[in-house]
Amino acid sequence: MAGQDMLDAGRRERLRALPAPEPAAGLTAYRRERDLALARSEACRENYRRYQAAGRRAAEIDYAPIKLDIENVSRCNFRCTMCVVGDWPHGKRAQDMTLDSFKQLIDAQPGLLEIKLQGIGEPTLQRDDFFAMIRYARARHIWVRTTTNGSLLHLNDNGRKLIDSGVNEVQVSIDGATAEVYEAIRRGGKFARVMANVKALNAYQRAQGVERTKMWTVVQRGNQHQLAALVDLAAELGFTNQVFSLELSDWGIDTWHERNHAASAEQSLEPEALEALVARGERLGVRVRFWNVTEKYRLGSPETICPWPFERAYVASDLRVVPCCFIGNPDVAQIDDDLGEAGEFMKVWHGEAFRAFRQAHLDGRLPGFCVGCYAPPSPAAGTA
């Protein structure tokens, strides 16, 4: 048994050693935009200094978040097998966030450096207001990342508008190298349509002399036999960045934990095979990286606990604040009352409910929906 434990530990170490995602345009571009954002005001620089000095050591903080996940729409035109949208009537949970609310939210954050503009849903469904949101944030040198299923990029010139908005990174979800596999997972999607859209998107960004896109694959039992073929597909579609996500979210819901645990391929993936994908990508001009939160966080030290409660939050389309993107649904977990208006976010950020959430991480009293992102305590360490 001890020998098996050593083998398992060795496998986990090799999985953790796999190269992690980087910004599509590179770390230099990311740092340059951060410096430009910090230069926009003394208030922004002072906020960042306070954030850095705090070091996740106290639940009571004196700074604004430096990052936000902002869900512009909570609706989707797909019903993917691993996504909670399939449980929502007509694939919709709430109304879209208005452009005015988005602007209020951005304006209320003096220290904001980065946002992910997408939640549980397809952001391009909002049409031009979505691109206006990106432009509004980028005018302040806020780094903007988004995710799309790519199905609507051919409509209304959406692909060109997305690149022209100044967005810093676009993650395109592609979970199958053939129509059969792709359409079985991305239910409602048409493989040929998405492939054509993505080729056009990548061609347009190259013509503009920028690098913004990543192909993002959620690895699961239904597609794990196609991982090498997916690297080949990434190259064919014109991607230079590809990420394999080895984790399936359970959305903080027991039934989804059971469903996605059964669909997960994480325990059967061999490090050698994943390392070979990196080498395959290098030959094809594709940077292959891996996203894996297994044992990512550990209790007992400010340096190893989850940074989310201390630097960012998730604001849902109906202006409710959610702990993180792995939940993404205020009906499952919400911090404090509804905002009412987006400009009231700072009341929640500094409020008692958020303070208690931070203290729970510091004390090792994790909410149930946070447990999956933490390593179990070692036998010698005892329980928290």
PDB file of all heavy atoms in Angstrom, residues 324-361:
ATOM      1  N   CYS A 324     -16.995  32.569  -6.375  1.00  0.00           N
ATOM      2  CA  CYS A 324     -15.996  32.337  -7.415  1.00  0.00           C
ATOM      3  C   CYS A 324     -16.639  31.737  -8.646  1.00  0.00           C
ATOM      4  O   CYS A 324     -17.815  31.363  -8.643  1.00  0.00           O
ATOM      5  CB  CYS A 324     -14.875  31.433  -6.901  1.00  0.00           C
ATOM      6  SG  CYS A 324     -15.303  29.675  -6.858  1.00  0.00           S
ATOM      7  N   CYS A 325     -15.830  31.574  -9.705  1.00  0.00           N
ATOM      8  CA  CYS A 325     -16.352  31.083 -10.977  1.00  0.00           C
ATOM      9  C   CYS A 325     -16.653  29.597 -10.954  1.00  0.00           C
ATOM     10  O   CYS A 325     -17.354  29.093 -11.834  1.00  0.00           O
ATOM     11  CB  CYS A 325     -15.370  31.405 -12.109  1.00  0.00           C
ATOM     12  SG  CYS A 325     -13.782  30.573 -11.976  1.00  0.00           S
ATOM     13  N   PHE A 326     -16.111  28.858  -9.994  1.00  0.00           N
ATOM     14  CA  PHE A 326     -16.421  27.429  -9.917  1.00  0.00           C
ATOM     15  C   PHE A 326     -17.834  27.195  -9.385  1.00  0.00           C
ATOM     16  O   PHE A 326     -18.369  26.107  -9.498  1.00  0.00           O
ATOM     17  CB  PHE A 326     -15.387  26.699  -9.041  1.00  0.00           C
ATOM     18  CG  PHE A 326     -14.277  26.099  -9.848  1.00  0.00           C
ATOM     19  CD1 PHE A 326     -13.344  26.913 -10.452  1.00  0.00           C
ATOM     20  CD2 PHE A 326     -14.175  24.732 -10.025  1.00  0.00           C
ATOM     21  CE1 PHE A 326     -12.320  26.376 -11.217  1.00  0.00           C
ATOM     22  CE2 PHE A 326     -13.162  24.183 -10.785  1.00  0.00           C
ATOM     23  CZ  PHE A 326     -12.228  25.005 -11.383  1.00  0.00           C
ATOM     24  N   ILE A 327     -18.413  28.224  -8.796  1.00  0.00           N
ATOM     25  CA  ILE A 327     -19.820  28.188  -8.410  1.00  0.00           C
ATOM     26  C   ILE A 327     -20.634  28.879  -9.507  1.00  0.00           C
ATOM     27  O   ILE A 327     -21.488  28.288 -10.154  1.00  0.00           O
ATOM     28  CB  ILE A 327     -20.056  28.895  -7.062  1.00  0.00           C
ATOM     29  CG1 ILE A 327     -19.173  28.269  -5.984  1.00  0.00           C
ATOM     30  CG2 ILE A 327     -21.530  28.807  -6.678  1.00  0.00           C
ATOM     31  CD1 ILE A 327     -19.402  26.792  -5.765  1.00  0.00           C
ATOM     32  N   GLY A 328     -20.367  30.153  -9.724  1.00  0.00           N
ATOM     33  CA  GLY A 328     -20.933  30.875 -10.837  1.00  0.00           C
ATOM     34  C   GLY A 328     -22.429  31.113 -10.781  1.00  0.00           C
ATOM     35  O   GLY A 328     -22.986  31.707 -11.705  1.00  0.00           O
ATOM     36  N   ASN A 329     -23.083  30.703  -9.719  1.00  0.00           N
ATOM     37  CA  ASN A 329     -24.542  30.783  -9.656  1.00  0.00           C
ATOM     38  C   ASN A 329     -24.951  31.279  -8.277  1.00  0.00           C
ATOM     39  O   ASN A 329     -24.767  30.577  -7.282  1.00  0.00           O
ATOM     40  CB  ASN A 329     -25.145  29.409  -9.932  1.00  0.00           C
ATOM     41  CG  ASN A 329     -26.666  29.432  -9.981  1.00  0.00           C
ATOM     42  OD1 ASN A 329     -27.304  30.408  -9.610  1.00  0.00           O
ATOM     43  ND2 ASN A 329     -27.251  28.335 -10.434  1.00  0.00           N
ATOM     44  N   PRO A 330     -25.518  32.470  -8.182  1.00  0.00           N
ATOM     45  CA  PRO A 330     -25.910  32.996  -6.869  1.00  0.00           C
ATOM     46  C   PRO A 330     -27.028  32.203  -6.215  1.00  0.00           C
ATOM     47  O   PRO A 330     -27.232  32.319  -5.003  1.00  0.00           O
ATOM     48  CB  PRO A 330     -26.351  34.431  -7.181  1.00  0.00           C
ATOM     49  CG  PRO A 330     -26.713  34.412  -8.628  1.00  0.00           C
ATOM     50  CD  PRO A 330     -25.806  33.422  -9.270  1.00  0.00           C
ATOM     51  N   ASP A 331     -27.760  31.395  -6.979  1.00  0.00           N
ATOM     52  CA  ASP A 331     -28.781  30.550  -6.363  1.00  0.00           C
ATOM     53  C   ASP A 331     -28.156  29.414  -5.546  1.00  0.00           C
ATOM     54  O   ASP A 331     -28.829  28.818  -4.711  1.00  0.00           O
ATOM     55  CB  ASP A 331     -29.695  29.957  -7.442  1.00  0.00           C
ATOM     56  CG  ASP A 331     -30.513  31.024  -8.160  1.00  0.00           C
ATOM     57  OD1 ASP A 331     -30.716  32.106  -7.562  1.00  0.00           O
ATOM     58  OD2 ASP A 331     -30.926  30.787  -9.310  1.00  0.00           O
ATOM     59  N   VAL A 332     -26.881  29.129  -5.810  1.00  0.00           N
ATOM     60  CA  VAL A 332     -26.152  28.097  -5.054  1.00  0.00           C
ATOM     61  C   VAL A 332     -25.405  28.721  -3.880  1.00  0.00           C
ATOM     62  O   VAL A 332     -25.440  28.215  -2.758  1.00  0.00           O
ATOM     63  CB  VAL A 332     -25.168  27.351  -5.982  1.00  0.00           C
ATOM     64  CG1 VAL A 332     -24.292  26.378  -5.191  1.00  0.00           C
ATOM     65  CG2 VAL A 332     -25.932  26.605  -7.073  1.00  0.00           C
ATOM     66  N   ALA A 333     -24.703  29.814  -4.131  1.00  0.00           N
ATOM     67  CA  ALA A 333     -23.948  30.492  -3.072  1.00  0.00           C
ATOM     68  C   ALA A 333     -23.853  31.968  -3.404  1.00  0.00           C
ATOM     69  O   ALA A 333     -23.332  32.340  -4.455  1.00  0.00           O
ATOM     70  CB  ALA A 333     -22.550  29.892  -2.936  1.00  0.00           C
ATOM     71  N   GLN A 334     -24.352  32.790  -2.524  1.00  0.00           N
ATOM     72  CA  GLN A 334     -24.339  34.233  -2.718  1.00  0.00           C
ATOM     73  C   GLN A 334     -23.749  34.896  -1.486  1.00  0.00           C
ATOM     74  O   GLN A 334     -24.026  34.489  -0.352  1.00  0.00           O
ATOM     75  CB  GLN A 334     -25.755  34.746  -2.951  1.00  0.00           C
ATOM     76  CG  GLN A 334     -25.848  36.260  -3.125  1.00  0.00           C
ATOM     77  CD  GLN A 334     -27.270  36.730  -3.396  1.00  0.00           C
ATOM     78  OE1 GLN A 334     -28.159  35.921  -3.663  1.00  0.00           O
ATOM     79  NE2 GLN A 334     -27.504  38.030  -3.332  1.00  0.00           N
ATOM     80  N   ILE A 335     -22.927  35.907  -1.703  1.00  0.00           N
ATOM     81  CA  ILE A 335     -22.360  36.667  -0.598  1.00  0.00           C
ATOM     82  C   ILE A 335     -23.206  37.911  -0.376  1.00  0.00           C
ATOM     83  O   ILE A 335     -23.281  38.786  -1.244  1.00  0.00           O
ATOM     84  CB  ILE A 335     -20.903  37.049  -0.873  1.00  0.00           C
ATOM     85  CG1 ILE A 335     -20.034  35.793  -0.964  1.00  0.00           C
ATOM     86  CG2 ILE A 335     -20.371  37.975   0.219  1.00  0.00           C
ATOM     87  CD1 ILE A 335     -18.579  36.064  -1.241  1.00  0.00           C
ATOM     88  N   ASP A 336     -23.874  37.966   0.757  1.00  0.00           N
ATOM     89  CA  ASP A 336     -24.691  39.119   1.143  1.00  0.00           C
ATOM     90  C   ASP A 336     -25.895  39.277   0.222  1.00  0.00           C
ATOM     91  O   ASP A 336     -26.217  38.411  -0.576  1.00  0.00           O
ATOM     92  CB  ASP A 336     -23.846  40.398   1.160  1.00  0.00           C
ATOM     93  CG  ASP A 336     -24.272  41.347   2.278  1.00  0.00           C
ATOM     94  OD1 ASP A 336     -25.455  41.323   2.662  1.00  0.00           O
ATOM     95  OD2 ASP A 336     -23.428  42.093   2.780  1.00  0.00           O
ATOM     96  N   ASP A 337     -26.590  40.391   0.368  1.00  0.00           N
ATOM     97  CA  ASP A 337     -27.806  40.646  -0.388  1.00  0.00           C
ATOM     98  C   ASP A 337     -27.478  41.099  -1.809  1.00  0.00           C
ATOM     99  O   ASP A 337     -26.330  41.403  -2.143  1.00  0.00           O
ATOM    100  CB  ASP A 337     -28.643  41.724   0.311  1.00  0.00           C
ATOM    101  CG  ASP A 337     -29.126  41.276   1.685  1.00  0.00           C
ATOM    102  OD1 ASP A 337     -29.371  40.063   1.844  1.00  0.00           O
ATOM    103  OD2 ASP A 337     -29.241  42.128   2.575  1.00  0.00           O
ATOM    104  N   ASP A 338     -28.517  41.181  -2.644  1.00  0.00           N
ATOM    105  CA  ASP A 338     -28.343  41.695  -4.001  1.00  0.00           C
ATOM    106  C   ASP A 338     -27.784  43.116  -3.937  1.00  0.00           C
ATOM    107  O   ASP A 338     -28.070  43.882  -3.009  1.00  0.00           O
ATOM    108  CB  ASP A 338     -29.681  41.725  -4.737  1.00  0.00           C
ATOM    109  CG  ASP A 338     -30.291  40.333  -4.867  1.00  0.00           C
ATOM    110  OD1 ASP A 338     -29.678  39.366  -4.379  1.00  0.00           O
ATOM    111  OD2 ASP A 338     -31.379  40.233  -5.455  1.00  0.00           O
ATOM    112  N   LEU A 339     -27.001  43.479  -4.948  1.00  0.00           N
ATOM    113  CA  LEU A 339     -26.411  44.815  -4.951  1.00  0.00           C
ATOM    114  C   LEU A 339     -27.460  45.900  -5.107  1.00  0.00           C
ATOM    115  O   LEU A 339     -27.331  46.979  -4.546  1.00  0.00           O
ATOM    116  CB  LEU A 339     -25.392  44.938  -6.093  1.00  0.00           C
ATOM    117  CG  LEU A 339     -24.157  44.028  -6.036  1.00  0.00           C
ATOM    118  CD1 LEU A 339     -23.208  44.383  -7.175  1.00  0.00           C
ATOM    119  CD2 LEU A 339     -23.447  44.156  -4.706  1.00  0.00           C
ATOM    120  N   GLY A 340     -28.498  45.624  -5.887  1.00  0.00           N
ATOM    121  CA  GLY A 340     -29.446  46.677  -6.210  1.00  0.00           C
ATOM    122  C   GLY A 340     -28.913  47.502  -7.367  1.00  0.00           C
ATOM    123  O   GLY A 340     -29.485  47.528  -8.445  1.00  0.00           O
ATOM    124  N   GLU A 341     -27.784  48.159  -7.150  1.00  0.00           N
ATOM    125  CA  GLU A 341     -27.090  48.885  -8.202  1.00  0.00           C
ATOM    126  C   GLU A 341     -25.626  48.457  -8.194  1.00  0.00           C
ATOM    127  O   GLU A 341     -25.050  48.182  -7.142  1.00  0.00           O
ATOM    128  CB  GLU A 341     -27.191  50.394  -7.994  1.00  0.00           C
ATOM    129  CG  GLU A 341     -28.615  50.938  -8.131  1.00  0.00           C
ATOM    130  CD  GLU A 341     -28.645  52.444  -8.032  1.00  0.00           C
ATOM    131  OE1 GLU A 341     -27.571  53.067  -7.957  1.00  0.00           O
ATOM    132  OE2 GLU A 341     -29.764  52.996  -8.036  1.00  0.00           O
ATOM    133  N   ALA A 342     -25.039  48.401  -9.393  1.00  0.00           N
ATOM    134  CA  ALA A 342     -23.674  47.896  -9.507  1.00  0.00           C
ATOM    135  C   ALA A 342     -22.682  48.723  -8.705  1.00  0.00           C
ATOM    136  O   ALA A 342     -21.678  48.209  -8.213  1.00  0.00           O
ATOM    137  CB  ALA A 342     -23.260  47.862 -10.979  1.00  0.00           C
ATOM    138  N   GLY A 343     -22.970  50.008  -8.548  1.00  0.00           N
ATOM    139  CA  GLY A 343     -22.073  50.868  -7.791  1.00  0.00           C
ATOM    140  C   GLY A 343     -21.996  50.543  -6.316  1.00  0.00           C
ATOM    141  O   GLY A 343     -21.146  51.082  -5.595  1.00  0.00           O
ATOM    142  N   GLU A 344     -22.875  49.666  -5.839  1.00  0.00           N
ATOM    143  CA  GLU A 344     -22.885  49.300  -4.425  1.00  0.00           C
ATOM    144  C   GLU A 344     -21.990  48.098  -4.120  1.00  0.00           C
ATOM    145  O   GLU A 344     -21.964  47.604  -2.991  1.00  0.00           O
ATOM    146  CB  GLU A 344     -24.316  48.990  -3.984  1.00  0.00           C
ATOM    147  CG  GLU A 344     -25.263  50.179  -4.088  1.00  0.00           C
ATOM    148  CD  GLU A 344     -26.690  49.820  -3.713  1.00  0.00           C
ATOM    149  OE1 GLU A 344     -26.932  48.638  -3.411  1.00  0.00           O
ATOM    150  OE2 GLU A 344     -27.550  50.712  -3.731  1.00  0.00           O
ATOM    151  N   PHE A 345     -21.246  47.620  -5.116  1.00  0.00           N
ATOM    152  CA  PHE A 345     -20.429  46.429  -4.906  1.00  0.00           C
ATOM    153  C   PHE A 345     -19.483  46.575  -3.725  1.00  0.00           C
ATOM    154  O   PHE A 345     -19.273  45.625  -2.954  1.00  0.00           O
ATOM    155  CB  PHE A 345     -19.626  46.100  -6.174  1.00  0.00           C
ATOM    156  CG  PHE A 345     -18.615  45.011  -5.956  1.00  0.00           C
ATOM    157  CD1 PHE A 345     -18.996  43.680  -5.986  1.00  0.00           C
ATOM    158  CD2 PHE A 345     -17.286  45.310  -5.702  1.00  0.00           C
ATOM    159  CE1 PHE A 345     -18.074  42.661  -5.755  1.00  0.00           C
ATOM    160  CE2 PHE A 345     -16.354  44.313  -5.479  1.00  0.00           C
ATOM    161  CZ  PHE A 345     -16.749  42.983  -5.512  1.00  0.00           C
ATOM    162  N   MET A 346     -18.890  47.744  -3.531  1.00  0.00           N
ATOM    163  CA  MET A 346     -17.903  47.910  -2.462  1.00  0.00           C
ATOM    164  C   MET A 346     -18.511  47.710  -1.077  1.00  0.00           C
ATOM    165  O   MET A 346     -17.811  47.323  -0.141  1.00  0.00           O
ATOM    166  CB  MET A 346     -17.233  49.283  -2.560  1.00  0.00           C
ATOM    167  CG  MET A 346     -16.324  49.429  -3.783  1.00  0.00           C
ATOM    168  SD  MET A 346     -15.016  48.171  -3.850  1.00  0.00           S
ATOM    169  CE  MET A 346     -14.062  48.630  -2.409  1.00  0.00           C
ATOM    170  N   LYS A 347     -19.817  47.942  -0.929  1.00  0.00           N
ATOM    171  CA  LYS A 347     -20.462  47.670   0.354  1.00  0.00           C
ATOM    172  C   LYS A 347     -20.424  46.178   0.661  1.00  0.00           C
ATOM    173  O   LYS A 347     -20.242  45.768   1.815  1.00  0.00           O
ATOM    174  CB  LYS A 347     -21.908  48.165   0.331  1.00  0.00           C
ATOM    175  CG  LYS A 347     -22.064  49.675   0.241  1.00  0.00           C
ATOM    176  CD  LYS A 347     -23.536  50.062   0.226  1.00  0.00           C
ATOM    177  CE  LYS A 347     -23.708  51.565   0.115  1.00  0.00           C
ATOM    178  NZ  LYS A 347     -25.151  51.964   0.061  1.00  0.00           N
ATOM    179  N   VAL A 348     -20.599  45.365  -0.367  1.00  0.00           N
ATOM    180  CA  VAL A 348     -20.522  43.913  -0.181  1.00  0.00           C
ATOM    181  C   VAL A 348     -19.084  43.491   0.046  1.00  0.00           C
ATOM    182  O   VAL A 348     -18.786  42.688   0.937  1.00  0.00           O
ATOM    183  CB  VAL A 348     -21.113  43.188  -1.406  1.00  0.00           C
ATOM    184  CG1 VAL A 348     -20.936  41.680  -1.284  1.00  0.00           C
ATOM    185  CG2 VAL A 348     -22.586  43.534  -1.555  1.00  0.00           C
ATOM    186  N   TRP A 349     -18.157  44.020  -0.740  1.00  0.00           N
ATOM    187  CA  TRP A 349     -16.740  43.649  -0.638  1.00  0.00           C
ATOM    188  C   TRP A 349     -16.207  43.901   0.777  1.00  0.00           C
ATOM    189  O   TRP A 349     -15.424  43.107   1.304  1.00  0.00           O
ATOM    190  CB  TRP A 349     -15.948  44.449  -1.671  1.00  0.00           C
ATOM    191  CG  TRP A 349     -14.465  44.213  -1.670  1.00  0.00           C
ATOM    192  CD1 TRP A 349     -13.499  45.067  -1.238  1.00  0.00           C
ATOM    193  CD2 TRP A 349     -13.761  43.060  -2.158  1.00  0.00           C
ATOM    194  NE1 TRP A 349     -12.248  44.537  -1.415  1.00  0.00           N
ATOM    195  CE2 TRP A 349     -12.386  43.298  -1.979  1.00  0.00           C
ATOM    196  CE3 TRP A 349     -14.178  41.857  -2.720  1.00  0.00           C
ATOM    197  CZ2 TRP A 349     -11.414  42.369  -2.346  1.00  0.00           C
ATOM    198  CZ3 TRP A 349     -13.214  40.923  -3.090  1.00  0.00           C
ATOM    199  CH2 TRP A 349     -11.847  41.178  -2.902  1.00  0.00           C
ATOM    200  N   HIS A 350     -16.623  44.980   1.376  1.00  0.00           N
ATOM    201  CA  HIS A 350     -16.162  45.312   2.729  1.00  0.00           C
ATOM    202  C   HIS A 350     -17.173  44.907   3.810  1.00  0.00           C
ATOM    203  O   HIS A 350     -16.968  45.212   4.990  1.00  0.00           O
ATOM    204  CB  HIS A 350     -15.888  46.815   2.842  1.00  0.00           C
ATOM    205  CG  HIS A 350     -14.676  47.267   2.089  1.00  0.00           C
ATOM    206  ND1 HIS A 350     -13.420  46.746   2.302  1.00  0.00           N
ATOM    207  CD2 HIS A 350     -14.533  48.188   1.096  1.00  0.00           C
ATOM    208  CE1 HIS A 350     -12.546  47.329   1.489  1.00  0.00           C
ATOM    209  NE2 HIS A 350     -13.203  48.209   0.752  1.00  0.00           N
ATOM    210  N   GLY A 351     -18.239  44.216   3.429  1.00  0.00           N
ATOM    211  CA  GLY A 351     -19.286  43.879   4.379  1.00  0.00           C
ATOM    212  C   GLY A 351     -18.964  42.667   5.243  1.00  0.00           C
ATOM    213  O   GLY A 351     -17.980  41.949   5.038  1.00  0.00           O
ATOM    214  N   GLU A 352     -19.842  42.409   6.204  1.00  0.00           N
ATOM    215  CA  GLU A 352     -19.632  41.351   7.185  1.00  0.00           C
ATOM    216  C   GLU A 352     -19.635  39.970   6.540  1.00  0.00           C
ATOM    217  O   GLU A 352     -18.852  39.092   6.928  1.00  0.00           O
ATOM    218  CB  GLU A 352     -20.714  41.420   8.265  1.00  0.00           C
ATOM    219  CG  GLU A 352     -20.648  40.307   9.298  1.00  0.00           C
ATOM    220  CD  GLU A 352     -19.304  40.222  10.011  1.00  0.00           C
ATOM    221  OE1 GLU A 352     -18.633  41.268  10.153  1.00  0.00           O
ATOM    222  OE2 GLU A 352     -18.920  39.108  10.418  1.00  0.00           O
ATOM    223  N   ALA A 353     -20.489  39.743   5.554  1.00  0.00           N
ATOM    224  CA  ALA A 353     -20.563  38.416   4.943  1.00  0.00           C
ATOM    225  C   ALA A 353     -19.261  38.072   4.221  1.00  0.00           C
ATOM    226  O   ALA A 353     -18.764  36.942   4.307  1.00  0.00           O
ATOM    227  CB  ALA A 353     -21.751  38.350   3.982  1.00  0.00           C
ATOM    228  N   PHE A 354     -18.691  39.036   3.508  1.00  0.00           N
ATOM    229  CA  PHE A 354     -17.435  38.773   2.804  1.00  0.00           C
ATOM    230  C   PHE A 354     -16.288  38.617   3.810  1.00  0.00           C
ATOM    231  O   PHE A 354     -15.387  37.794   3.642  1.00  0.00           O
ATOM    232  CB  PHE A 354     -17.121  39.907   1.824  1.00  0.00           C
ATOM    233  CG  PHE A 354     -16.658  39.424   0.477  1.00  0.00           C
ATOM    234  CD1 PHE A 354     -17.210  39.931  -0.689  1.00  0.00           C
ATOM    235  CD2 PHE A 354     -15.670  38.449   0.351  1.00  0.00           C
ATOM    236  CE1 PHE A 354     -16.805  39.485  -1.944  1.00  0.00           C
ATOM    237  CE2 PHE A 354     -15.247  38.003  -0.893  1.00  0.00           C
ATOM    238  CZ  PHE A 354     -15.814  38.522  -2.040  1.00  0.00           C
ATOM    239  N   ARG A 355     -16.344  39.417   4.877  1.00  0.00           N
ATOM    240  CA  ARG A 355     -15.311  39.302   5.913  1.00  0.00           C
ATOM    241  C   ARG A 355     -15.344  37.907   6.532  1.00  0.00           C
ATOM    242  O   ARG A 355     -14.303  37.271   6.745  1.00  0.00           O
ATOM    243  CB  ARG A 355     -15.522  40.361   7.001  1.00  0.00           C
ATOM    244  CG  ARG A 355     -14.362  40.452   8.003  1.00  0.00           C
ATOM    245  CD  ARG A 355     -14.820  40.972   9.349  1.00  0.00           C
ATOM    246  NE  ARG A 355     -15.759  40.031   9.965  1.00  0.00           N
ATOM    247  CZ  ARG A 355     -15.369  38.906  10.578  1.00  0.00           C
ATOM    248  NH1 ARG A 355     -14.097  38.562  10.653  1.00  0.00           N
ATOM    249  NH2 ARG A 355     -16.273  38.121  11.119  1.00  0.00           N
ATOM    250  N   ALA A 356     -16.544  37.400   6.812  1.00  0.00           N
ATOM    251  CA  ALA A 356     -16.678  36.069   7.388  1.00  0.00           C
ATOM    252  C   ALA A 356     -16.190  34.988   6.419  1.00  0.00           C
ATOM    253  O   ALA A 356     -15.601  33.978   6.827  1.00  0.00           O
ATOM    254  CB  ALA A 356     -18.132  35.814   7.779  1.00  0.00           C
ATOM    255  N   PHE A 357     -16.419  35.190   5.134  1.00  0.00           N
ATOM    256  CA  PHE A 357     -15.957  34.249   4.111  1.00  0.00           C
ATOM    257  C   PHE A 357     -14.427  34.186   4.100  1.00  0.00           C
ATOM    258  O   PHE A 357     -13.820  33.104   4.025  1.00  0.00           O
ATOM    259  CB  PHE A 357     -16.508  34.671   2.756  1.00  0.00           C
ATOM    260  CG  PHE A 357     -16.152  33.760   1.616  1.00  0.00           C
ATOM    261  CD1 PHE A 357     -16.486  32.409   1.650  1.00  0.00           C
ATOM    262  CD2 PHE A 357     -15.499  34.255   0.500  1.00  0.00           C
ATOM    263  CE1 PHE A 357     -16.158  31.568   0.580  1.00  0.00           C
ATOM    264  CE2 PHE A 357     -15.183  33.430  -0.568  1.00  0.00           C
ATOM    265  CZ  PHE A 357     -15.506  32.083  -0.522  1.00  0.00           C
ATOM    266  N   ARG A 358     -13.786  35.344   4.190  1.00  0.00           N
ATOM    267  CA  ARG A 358     -12.321  35.362   4.252  1.00  0.00           C
ATOM    268  C   ARG A 358     -11.819  34.694   5.530  1.00  0.00           C
ATOM    269  O   ARG A 358     -10.854  33.923   5.509  1.00  0.00           O
ATOM    270  CB  ARG A 358     -11.815  36.809   4.193  1.00  0.00           C
ATOM    271  CG  ARG A 358     -12.121  37.522   2.906  1.00  0.00           C
ATOM    272  CD  ARG A 358     -11.484  38.920   2.871  1.00  0.00           C
ATOM    273  NE  ARG A 358     -11.996  39.673   1.729  1.00  0.00           N
ATOM    274  CZ  ARG A 358     -12.912  40.621   1.802  1.00  0.00           C
ATOM    275  NH1 ARG A 358     -13.408  40.988   2.982  1.00  0.00           N
ATOM    276  NH2 ARG A 358     -13.339  41.232   0.704  1.00  0.00           N
ATOM    277  N   GLN A 359     -12.484  34.989   6.642  1.00  0.00           N
ATOM    278  CA  GLN A 359     -12.049  34.417   7.915  1.00  0.00           C
ATOM    279  C   GLN A 359     -12.153  32.895   7.908  1.00  0.00           C
ATOM    280  O   GLN A 359     -11.314  32.197   8.488  1.00  0.00           O
ATOM    281  CB  GLN A 359     -12.889  34.988   9.066  1.00  0.00           C
ATOM    282  CG  GLN A 359     -12.310  34.696  10.450  1.00  0.00           C
ATOM    283  CD  GLN A 359     -10.978  35.380  10.666  1.00  0.00           C
ATOM    284  OE1 GLN A 359     -10.857  36.599  10.504  1.00  0.00           O
ATOM    285  NE2 GLN A 359      -9.959  34.606  11.025  1.00  0.00           N
ATOM    286  N   ALA A 360     -13.163  32.368   7.238  1.00  0.00           N
ATOM    287  CA  ALA A 360     -13.321  30.913   7.153  1.00  0.00           C
ATOM    288  C   ALA A 360     -12.120  30.271   6.468  1.00  0.00           C
ATOM    289  O   ALA A 360     -11.661  29.192   6.867  1.00  0.00           O
ATOM    290  CB  ALA A 360     -14.611  30.577   6.404  1.00  0.00           C
ATOM    291  N   HIS A 361     -11.582  30.915   5.456  1.00  0.00           N
ATOM    292  CA  HIS A 361     -10.388  30.388   4.783  1.00  0.00           C
ATOM    293  C   HIS A 361      -9.168  30.496   5.694  1.00  0.00           C
ATOM    294  O   HIS A 361      -8.340  29.576   5.753  1.00  0.00           O
ATOM    295  CB  HIS A 361     -10.141  31.140   3.477  1.00  0.00           C
ATOM    296  CG  HIS A 361     -11.068  30.724   2.379  1.00  0.00           C
ATOM    297  ND1 HIS A 361     -10.702  29.859   1.377  1.00  0.00           N
ATOM    298  CD2 HIS A 361     -12.356  31.054   2.134  1.00  0.00           C
ATOM    299  CE1 HIS A 361     -11.723  29.667   0.560  1.00  0.00           C
ATOM    300  NE2 HIS A 361     -12.739  30.390   0.997  1.00  0.00           N
TER     301      HIS A 361
END
